[in-house]
Amino acid sequence: MIIKTYNENHNYLLFIDLEFSNQDLVQFAGLLFKRIDDETYQLIRSLNTYVSRKVCYPFMEYTSITNSFLEENGIPLSDAKMLIMEDFLMDIPLNEIEVISHGLKNDRIVLNNSGINLLTYNNKPIDGYCTYMNGRRILERQNHLTLVDIAEESGYYVHAAHNAYNDV
């Protein structure tokens, strides 16, 4: 996958989305792009992982992710942390990355509470871009800013919303 950007100076773009229950990480999805020329990035890695934990009924209704699915397909949080930080992001200098998310502040808090630091690197903030906050600013409105709203308005259909891999 190739994407075009304008006025972007990071060597890597990391698009993330999470599903979480009571601020506990349940699903992490990420697409990592590397700059290949001034305005072009190429997908170099993707990751979709689930954490084995019990979730409440409202979470299951909202995401369609069930306890039985997590029991069969989830991994311990410690393994998810290693998979994300030591495999997926293993050789990527975090000072050259921009983390992009729809609800970036909360996603970073959930990850940080899970032991996954995408807030700082060598005591300096990791750059980030929140599509929710910037959508609000660019579209000059306070509502109709869900990921589905913005995607559909831009001509994209989000299949199975509230599944982190589909949303990312």
Side-chain angles (χ1 to χ4, degrees), residues 54-104:
K54 295 286 184 195
V55 293
C56 62
Y57 180 77
F59 175 87
M60 290 187 281
E61 283 294 304
Y62 186 71
T63 65
S64 298
I65 299 171
T66 64
N67 283 319
S68 59
F69 176 85
L70 292 172
E71 188 175 301
E72 292 174 27
N73 299 287
I75 60 176
L77 178 60
S78 58
D79 291 351
K81 178 182 169 183
M82 284 184 8
L83 184 62
I84 295 164
M85 296 307 292
E86 295 178 20
D87 290 342
F88 184 61
L89 296 174
M90 67 180 160
D91 56 348
I92 306 301
L94 295 180
N95 61 324
E96 296 180 22
I97 213 168
E98 180 160 43
V99 180
I100 302 160
S101 172
H102 195 73
L104 180 63

Side-chain angles (χ1 to χ4, degrees), residues 10-70:
H10 294 85
N11 288 325
Y12 299 92
L13 301 178
L14 173 61
F15 292 83
I16 64 168
D17 195 56
L18 314 176
E19 298 304 334
F20 53 90
S21 178
N22 298 319
Q23 296 293 309
D24 293 323
L25 181 64
V26 175
Q27 182 186 12
F28 172 92
L31 299 175
L32 181 63
F33 290 83
K34 182 178 182 177
R35 176 192 300 278
I36 58 174
D37 70 32
D38 286 346
E39 297 178 344
T40 309
Y41 288 78
Q42 182 174 15
L43 180 66
I44 60 169
R45 293 183 193 141
S46 67
L47 176 65
N48 183 36
T49 191
Y50 297 88
V51 175
S52 55
R53 64 171 7 108
K54 295 286 184 195
V55 293
C56 62
Y57 180 77
F59 175 87
M60 290 187 281
E61 283 294 304
Y62 186 71
T63 65
S64 298
I65 299 171
T66 64
N67 283 319
S68 59
F69 176 85
L70 292 172

